[in-house]
Amino acid sequence: MTDDAQNDPQDAIDSQGERRREELDDRIFEHSAGDEQEGIPFVGAGPGNPRLLTVAGKELLEEADLVVHAGSLVNSELLEEYCAHAELVNSVGKDLEELIPLMRDAYEDGDNVVRLHSGDPAIYGAALEQMDALEHEGVPTHFVPGVTSAFAASATLRTQLTLNEVSNHVAFTRPQGKTLTPEEDHISDFVEMGDVTTCIYLGTHAVRDTMDRLLEDDHDPETPVAVIYHASWPDEDVIIGSIGDIADKVEEAGYRASALVVIGDAVTGAGYERSFLYGDWANRGSSGESGETEAGDD
């Protein structure tokens, strides 16, 4: 290991960032998500239910010699089913100075190493800093997407996050705190737009503060809010309310972590309009009078 990476992984992160600004990685044009690739895969374990692990993730875990996982954020049933043959290392409480040499050395010894994140590693996963530090050490890495908790929550609620004439946009965000300053907290801005489904990660502990700020900003207290605790886990719980009363309901349930907060009219799935996809657009498309239509656009 180089001295700078050993003493301060930030040097490796800065170096990789500078390289990224100067030129694009050739692998961007050589591989697509789901391809077999060289190096250490950063796999999304999904929201909780082992059945929501992707096929690519399952195959990589079954071939792994070492799995560095996100502790209790990954369902133990998934680890037992797909990783029982591998050495398991819990990453909770370990810093980059410990994790990077661990994964690098195992990879250089010829082991199949998998870094297993909860949900999708691209959403609040702090994956890129690990990948940059490994790449700086000459160890290739790549992403393997996973199902993020917002999608599991949508499935549980039996609705879409986007609905025609109700929600044209989706915002993945988190509340102010250690990571976000008050100026960087845009939850109120998203809610004010009206046609945004706002999905708040890592904010269960701040539900009261968040809703109080929304009320102070004169948002409609009847705006629907859902809090999905442990989406897709066996102990999943769903709390439905509004900006005005959801904090009381969450506090009564006793949840302080591990829940996704969804704000917006899409929570109820009510009031949407029929999309164009299976109406006039579909008819014109079948007669060849219009261009391509894309499933999922509405």
Side-chain angles (χ1 to χ4, degrees):
M1 174 184 285
T2 57
D3 290 340
D4 60 350
Q6 184 175 12
N7 295 327
D8 186 3
Q10 186 64 51
D11 291 340
I13 294 169
D14 292 342
S15 175
Q16 291 301 116
E18 186 63 32
R19 179 180 301 179
R20 200 175 286 117
R21 276 189 288 270
E22 293 175 354
E23 59 180 347
L24 291 174
D25 192 318
D26 290 339
R27 292 171 295 182
I28 293 173
F29 309 102
E30 296 170 353
H31 295 288
S32 298
D35 285 354
E36 292 185 8
Q37 298 186 46
E38 180 184 357
I40 296 178
F42 277 61
V43 175
N49 190 318
R51 295 186 65 219
L52 296 180
L53 178 69
T54 66
V55 173
K58 173 180 176 291
E59 291 174 349
L60 287 163
L61 288 174
E62 290 176 336
E63 297 171 356
D65 301 302
L66 170 65
V67 176
V68 180
H69 63 90
S72 62
L73 295 178
V74 176
N75 194 330
S76 60
E77 292 182 6
L78 184 151
L79 297 176
E80 292 168 4
E81 185 168 354
Y82 301 122
C83 310
H85 59 287
E87 178 185 356
L88 299 177
V89 174
N90 186 339
S91 65
V92 176
K94 294 179 173 60
D95 56 22
L96 289 180
E97 288 80 355
E98 186 173 358
L99 288 172
I100 300 309
L102 170 71
M103 292 188 283
R104 180 207 63 203
D105 291 348
Y107 178 78
E108 291 181 347
D109 286 343
D111 289 343
N112 290 324
V113 181
V114 172
R115 179 64 169 104
L116 186 63
H117 278 248
S118 60
D120 184 298
I123 304 294
Y124 299 118
L128 194 59
E129 62 195 62
Q130 301 170 66
M131 300 170 81
D132 277 351
L134 285 165
E135 295 274 351
H136 191 70
E137 290 293 293
V139 177
T141 62
H142 59 279
F143 281 107
V144 178
V147 177
T148 188
S149 58
F151 300 153
S154 174
T156 287
L157 293 172
R158 308 181 75 85
T159 186
Q160 292 180 201
L161 297 178
T162 59
L163 285 169
N164 196 32
E165 300 298 326
V166 171
S167 175
N168 294 310
H169 315 280
V170 180
F172 290 173
T173 187
R174 61 191 301 181
Q176 58 187 256
K178 286 185 178 180
T179 302
L180 253 62
T181 66
E183 292 74 22
E184 294 170 327
D185 181 335
H186 299 298
I187 294 172
S188 185
D189 299 327
F190 296 140
V191 174
E192 184 177 1
M193 291 176 187
D195 64 341
V196 177
T197 302
T198 304
C199 301
I200 305 175
Y201 288 71
L202 305 169
T204 318
H205 67 287
V207 169
R208 171 73 65 186
D209 290 341
T210 299
M211 299 304 144
D212 284 348
R213 287 197 301 274
L214 292 176
L215 291 172
E216 289 171 4
D217 289 343
D218 294 325
H219 292 297
D220 184 355
E222 297 302 315
T223 301
V225 181
V227 174
I228 301 89
Y229 171 78
H230 262 184
S232 85
W233 290 65
D235 60 345
E236 176 187 82
D237 192 12
V238 179
I239 302 174
I240 304 293
S242 65
I243 288 176
D245 65 15
I246 196 67
D248 289 337
K249 294 182 178 183
V250 171
E251 289 177 2
E252 182 179 352
Y255 300 133
R256 293 281 298 168
S258 303
L260 184 87
V261 180
V262 184
I263 305 174
D265 290 328
V267 164
T268 64
Y272 70 93
E273 300 291 334
R274 177 180 175 178
S275 73
F276 295 109
L277 183 61
Y278 301 110
D280 292 341
W281 283 3
N283 294 333
R284 288 200 301 271
S286 62
S287 63
E289 295 178 5
S290 67
E292 295 181 7
T293 58
E294 296 186 9
D297 273 359
D298 283 287

